[in-house]
Amino acid sequence: MKCKFCEQELPEGAEKCPNCGIPVRSSQTQELSAAVKSTYRTPEQVQQSDSAVDVETPEARYERMERTSRRNRWIVIGCILLVLILLVSGYFLLFSGYRAAIRRYVWGRGSMSGTRYCEIVPDRFLSELSEEYSMNRKEIRDCLDGYFHYAKEQMEGDLGSNIEFAYERDQATTYTDEETISEYETKLSDTYHITLSLDEVVLANVRISTTGDQQNITDSVTLTLFKCGMKWYCMEAMEQVEYACAYEGYDLW
């Protein structure tokens, strides 16, 4: 007698197959037979199934990992480029153009920083001041710092302490015609004794608010901004730098 499932020869009187363990004399034999047949695989079937499995070779695994690595690298590079684009755009938006010169003009007073004002006046002008007043660049900045501190003390007498500055930019008129450009080049030569080739001139109306603990005031000023090469400068800043240098000898501040 043979087992109905694995066809193993059964010993006389065996209750279960010694090979597959399936009972051969049970009231549940028929039900169990149907269930086992649906899942049981012969050794030949197992061998055929294992040979059909698509086993990933080391070369294929390396290629798959390399594709993933390349994709991740491109994602990282894309993110870095996006951040750089945003940073460059933000720099040109905030720290270039005539608007940046206006910002430095106001913030220079608020932070009492002569360095900010020196950033919006031409180097040639600073060289002229150095020769005229026998000062180096640091001494010019120190004069400005002292001037701003002195001006702030005068404001505190009228407005109270904790002086803060803010500004709003109104209309701005841009000039690029040769006649207007020539007019301001002549003004720079006659007033500040420097010769510059200008590319653009902007007259910007700005409202500067000065606020203290007790009260605040608002002044409307028109700033003359001019572009020379890649940089923007402010003529009113030049006026204040020269004023600070001229009065330093009188120990005003």
Side-chain angles (χ1 to χ4, degrees):
M1 182 178 178
K2 293 183 178 182
C3 177
K4 296 181 179 180
F5 303 105
C6 65
E7 299 183 352
Q8 173 73 26
E9 192 71 30
L10 299 174
E12 189 74 23
E15 294 184 358
K16 61 173 65 175
C17 176
N19 182 47
C20 64
I22 301 299
V24 294
R25 292 182 181 179
S26 172
S27 60
Q28 299 178 349
T29 299
Q30 297 299 326
E31 297 178 5
L32 189 58
S33 174
V36 171
K37 283 185 177 180
S38 64
T39 58
Y40 179 77
R41 296 185 299 172
T42 65
E44 292 78 7
Q45 290 174 327
V46 171
Q47 185 177 3
Q48 292 177 359
S49 176
D50 289 343
S51 63
V53 173
D54 185 13
V55 179
E56 186 179 33
T57 64
E59 293 80 5
R61 182 171 180 271
Y62 175 81
E63 180 63 27
R64 177 174 57 80
M65 295 176 64
E66 185 65 21
R67 286 197 303 270
T68 303
S69 178
R70 285 197 299 267
R71 183 175 66 251
N72 292 339
R73 284 198 298 268
W74 279 114
I75 292 174
V76 172
I77 292 173
C79 293
I80 293 174
L81 289 176
L82 179 60
V83 171
L84 289 175
I85 291 172
L86 293 175
L87 289 175
V88 171
S89 300
Y91 173 82
F92 281 103
L93 179 64
L94 297 176
F95 300 104
S96 65
Y98 74 87
R99 296 176 180 83
I102 297 175
R103 189 178 300 109
R104 289 189 176 98
Y105 178 85
V106 178
W107 289 359
R109 296 176 62 185
S111 61
M112 295 175 288
S113 170
T115 301
R116 290 187 183 273
Y117 264 49
C118 288
E119 291 174 348
I120 54 175
V121 300
D123 284 340
R124 196 170 301 177
F125 173 66
L126 293 175
S127 297
E128 288 289 328
L129 292 180
S130 295
E131 293 182 6
E132 183 175 356
Y133 298 102
S134 300
M135 297 180 181
N136 57 36
R137 299 292 178 89
K138 182 182 183 303
E139 290 171 335
I140 292 176
R141 292 194 295 268
D142 289 343
C143 282
L144 281 166
D145 291 344
Y147 167 61
F148 289 139
H149 278 85
Y150 174 80
K152 184 177 181 181
E153 289 175 358
Q154 304 305 307
M155 293 178 184
E156 287 177 343
D158 298 327
L159 307 179
S161 59
N162 298 322
I163 299 295
E164 294 183 356
F165 294 90
Y167 76 96
E168 293 182 5
R169 183 170 50 85
D170 290 332
Q171 295 181 347
T173 306
T174 302
Y175 298 95
T176 56
D177 60 284
E178 293 184 5
E179 182 178 356
T180 304
I181 294 295
S182 177
E183 175 186 342
Y184 282 94
E185 288 175 346
T186 302
K187 184 175 181 179
L188 286 171
S189 177
D190 294 343
T191 306
Y192 301 105
H193 313 294
I194 59 173
T195 301
L196 294 177
S197 179
L198 306 185
D199 301 310
E200 192 174 342
V201 174
V202 173
L203 299 182
N205 298 322
V206 180
R207 293 195 305 274
I208 301 177
S209 300
T210 308
T211 304
D213 288 342
Q214 299 176 8
Q215 60 177 322
N216 66 287
I217 58 174
T218 300
D219 297 322
S220 295
V221 298
T222 299
L223 299 181
T224 305
L225 310 158
F226 56 93
K227 183 181 181 183
C228 180
M230 298 297 293
K231 296 190 66 175
W232 282 89
Y233 304 104
C234 177
M235 197 170 292
E236 285 68 29
M238 295 171 64
E239 178 182 347
Q240 295 194 31
V241 172
E242 185 172 37
Y243 180 85
C245 292
Y247 279 89
E248 190 273 340
Y250 296 99
D251 197 23
L252 183 60
W253 35 82

